[in-house]
Amino acid sequence: QVQLVESGGGLVQPGGSLRLSCAASGSIVSVNTMQWYRQAPGKEREFIATVTPGGITIYADSVKGRFTISRDNAKNTMYLQMNKLRLEDTAVYYCSLPTTSTRYWGQGIQVTVSS
């Protein structure tokens, strides 16, 4: 079974930056697409970004140009570099790995953007 653990969250001022990491375990991680989602209070969980095993990326319009998703397959780790953070970016951020049988989720990590 795959395990996903997020780290790197916290409190940051508007316009600031944070880098999230998602450490994954499991033999299939390096050959699977990995994704970041987030869920703000009172809102649905929303897609943020995707990175394929080969490094191809897709972003939601809300974060395009500000966030960068990447991965290090040798370390089974995915990253989300968040720049120019806004108040609306405040949410719990989740690492996710979809497979043919199930979607794996991390426990989530809080990112709070506040002055």
Side-chain angles (χ1 to χ4, degrees), residues 31-76:
V31 295
N32 268 268
T33 287
M34 298 183 70
Q35 300 175 316
W36 285 102
Y37 284 73
R38 69 185 181 187
Q39 188 166 22
K43 295 186 176 181
E44 298 281 335
R45 189 170 298 185
E46 65 175 347
F47 165 81
I48 298 172
T50 288
V51 59
T52 71
I56 303 300
T57 59
I58 300 173
Y59 297 93
D61 288 342
S62 60
V63 305
K64 193 175 300 181
R66 300 188 299 120
F67 291 10
T68 302
I69 188 172
S70 62
R71 67 193 295 163
D72 185 336
N73 289 335
K75 296 181 178 180
N76 280 345

Side-chain angles (χ1 to χ4, degrees), residues 52-108:
T52 71
I56 303 300
T57 59
I58 300 173
Y59 297 93
D61 288 342
S62 60
V63 305
K64 193 175 300 181
R66 300 188 299 120
F67 291 10
T68 302
I69 188 172
S70 62
R71 67 193 295 163
D72 185 336
N73 289 335
K75 296 181 178 180
N76 280 345
T77 301
M78 178 177 65
Y79 306 96
L80 185 68
Q81 178 66 47
M82 304 184 293
N83 299 325
K84 299 179 180 179
L85 284 161
R86 306 166 179 169
L87 297 179
E88 63 189 14
D89 294 320
T90 295
V92 176
Y93 284 71
Y94 295 91
C95 175
S96 186
L97 192 159
T99 71
T100 55
S101 59
T102 188
R103 177 182 286 274
Y104 295 92
W105 295 96
Q107 80 285 355

